[in-house]
Amino acid sequence: MATRWGICSAGKICHDFTVALKTLPPGDHQIVAVAARKLQDAQEFAKKHSIPKAYGSYEELARDPEIDVVYVGVIQPYHLPVCTVFMKAQKNVLCEKPLAMNFREVQELVTSAKMNNVFLMEALWTRFFPATLEIGRLLSQGDVGEVKMVKADFGLPLMSVPRAVQKELGGGALLDIGIYCLQFICMVYNGEKPECIQATGVCLDTGVDEGMVVTLKFSRNRMAVFTCSIAVTLPNEASIIGTKGTIRVPQHMWCPTSLVVNGKETTYPLPDPYLPLNFINSTGMRYEAEEVRQCLLKGLKESPRMSNTDSLLLAEVMDEARRQVGVVYSQDQ
């Protein structure tokens, strides 16, 4: 039986996720309905993607009995209230990153998922790419020895994008794109909490971070450092340096399609989209969608590859980094 999806919001990321879903077998994944704040937007989205039903409110989508799981692609400050609506209606949820604005809100969502006995996962698609799974395999086999250092950077010129620079829209380099670097580091170090967090950055007049550099120290003298910026394009690479070798993601570290292991490169091509995409490599969101399906088939309430404990750790580290740099959102009050 197919996993039946509802799409929450009709924006750019929901467009790309829908295109990615349709690269998977229709017998496994079906899109039942889409909802937006304006019915016309939902109807136009439904027409473009051949989705049977369109709703003009998220509450209507939550009440649809034919939906198994909802993909939530609203802007970040609305993740908590919108996801809560769906979970209270007994809907499983895949929510775009960051799962919420801070640790307290993430904890609230995790608690709600447990109380309502539903599946909840933060949509950090990086975790599910074939290249990422290969990284996990290489590390588990000890191919590069003991990892001593992880480096990652992600920077794009987003200063003209309102959601990236405005505080009320959840803007800032760390929450928008730096989270990809941090999750990569936490994945390599198996979800271990860092012993020390040191962050420095610069803020815009709007009160959000334009850029940040974060250094993390882990047990056994292992280190990590990441840089993020919404002002400039960075190399957007990641490196894992061990005592016996190196694994490098040479480009697009947040959606990797190639790996260089001790100098040898392997590529992992993605399927072609049926409609133009808004973001690079977006058909790779198919992997997180399939992860959700497999978890639901097994009766799991969270993914072993991107658990709610992982999301709590990310939020906790980001809260501390923001505190040191001086970024405060209304949700922190």
Side-chain angles (χ1 to χ4, degrees), residues 93-214:
V93 169
L94 172 65
C95 178
E96 259 309 324
K97 60 79 202 166
L99 188 55
M101 292 297 293
N102 55 32
F103 179 85
R104 178 188 59 79
E105 287 197 345
V106 172
Q107 182 68 71
E108 194 170 331
L109 283 176
V110 171
T111 299
S112 180
K114 291 179 180 177
M115 287 179 58
N116 293 290
N117 195 32
V118 294
F119 176 88
L120 172 66
M121 190 177 91
E122 185 173 10
L124 271 162
W125 61 327
T126 316
R127 292 266 171 130
F128 310 101
F129 275 71
T132 308
L133 302 186
E134 177 63 9
I135 289 173
R137 189 186 70 81
L138 293 169
L139 293 177
S140 66
Q141 292 181 174
D143 283 32
V144 296
E146 183 183 13
V147 175
K148 299 295 289 183
M149 176 66 73
V150 183
K151 296 181 179 181
D153 58 69
F154 192 0
L156 295 172
L158 301 174
M159 300 288 276
S160 62
V161 180
R163 65 163 181 80
V165 298
Q166 294 181 16
K167 182 181 285 191
E168 62 270 22
L169 300 181
L174 181 62
L175 259 62
D176 193 34
I177 57 180
I179 186 174
Y180 286 112
C181 301
L182 177 59
Q183 73 80 27
F184 185 88
I185 291 164
C186 292
M187 178 191 71
V188 172
Y189 286 135
N190 291 315
E192 180 180 324
K193 184 178 178 179
E195 295 178 344
C196 179
I197 302 165
Q198 292 184 318
T200 186
V202 292
C203 292
L204 301 171
D205 292 341
T206 58
V208 304
D209 52 308
E210 174 192 298
M212 196 178 293
V213 180
V214 182

Side-chain angles (χ1 to χ4, degrees), residues 227-295:
T227 307
C228 57
S229 173
I230 54 172
V232 294
T233 300
L234 295 175
N236 299 336
E237 298 182 349
S239 297
I240 303 166
I241 301 116
T243 54
K244 295 180 181 178
T246 299
I247 302 170
R248 187 166 65 90
V249 181
Q251 59 180 344
H252 311 316
M253 58 77 54
W254 70 100
C255 50
T257 55
S258 66
L259 285 183
V260 180
V261 182
N262 296 328
K264 182 180 179 181
E265 184 168 10
T266 304
T267 59
Y268 304 84
L270 292 170
D272 293 328
Y274 69 89
L275 286 174
L277 298 167
N278 294 296
F279 307 104
I280 193 166
N281 290 349
S282 279
T283 50
M285 286 193 279
R286 72 200 304 266
Y287 302 120
E288 65 182 359
E290 181 59 23
E291 173 72 7
V292 171
R293 172 173 166 78
Q294 292 305 317
C295 288

